[in-house]
């Protein structure tokens, strides 16, 4: 595995609110006020500037985009963002016991 790829992923997703924002947008596109409200359910003290900074950074990294839908601006995942969320969903249960080793696990011992 290339350590530079992991370092880049950490730079892109290594901020406190990144995964929370991506998870909410994975459900559906959201207007800024809807997204802010949902994120503030986790931390009521989240400042507007912090949320804006995160949205701009995620957008600059090609994971989300702001688009106009039905006369409103909404934030939505890009194709790249959806790929990241789908990939992360595959490992979300990392804290659970892994399945036992077997022929399908790839263990050649």
């Amino acid at each position: 595995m290339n350590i530079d790829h992991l370092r880049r992923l950490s730079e892109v997703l290594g901020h406190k609110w990144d995964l929370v924002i991506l998870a909410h947008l994975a459900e559906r596109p959201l207007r800024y006020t809807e997204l802010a409200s949902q994120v503030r359910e986790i931390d009521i003290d989240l400042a507007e500037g912090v949320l804006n900074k995160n949205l701009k950074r995620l957008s600059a990294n090609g994971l989300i985009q702001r688009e106009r839908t039905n006369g409103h601006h909404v934030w939505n995942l890009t194709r790249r963002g959806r790929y990241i969320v789908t990939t992360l969903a595959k490992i979300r249960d990392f804290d659970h016991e892994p399945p036992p080793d077997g022929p399908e696990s790839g263990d050649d011992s």
Side-chain angles (χ1 to χ4, degrees):
M1 177 173 282
N2 186 331
I3 194 72
D4 290 331
H5 292 299
L6 290 176
R7 186 176 298 122
R8 175 68 179 133
L9 184 61
S10 176
E11 289 171 5
V12 172
L13 296 175
H15 301 273
K16 180 177 180 178
W17 297 107
D18 293 349
L19 298 179
V20 173
I21 292 168
L22 294 175
H24 283 298
L25 293 178
E27 295 173 9
R28 67 183 176 88
L30 294 169
R31 293 172 65 178
Y32 178 87
T33 54
E34 295 172 309
L35 181 59
S37 175
Q38 290 183 14
V39 172
R40 284 197 181 94
E41 288 178 8
I42 297 168
D43 183 354
I44 198 161
D45 295 324
L46 177 68
E48 293 287 323
V50 173
L51 181 57
N52 286 328
K53 183 178 176 180
N54 280 276
L55 292 173
K56 287 178 184 177
R57 189 177 28 72
L58 289 168
S59 179
N61 283 303
L63 301 179
I64 65 172
Q65 63 188 4
R66 188 171 170 232
E67 50 191 36
R68 193 162 182 85
T69 304
N70 297 328
H72 300 285
H73 284 106
V74 295
W75 286 99
N76 198 4
L77 292 178
T78 62
R79 186 169 161 252
R80 183 178 187 199
R82 189 147 313 276
Y83 173 77
I84 293 284
V85 169
T86 301
T87 302
L88 291 172
K90 293 177 184 177
I91 60 171
R92 73 176 161 240
D93 296 326
F94 74 94
D95 58 339
H96 296 287
E97 189 66 30
D101 288 342
E104 65 279 353
S105 72
D107 185 17
D108 293 305
S109 54

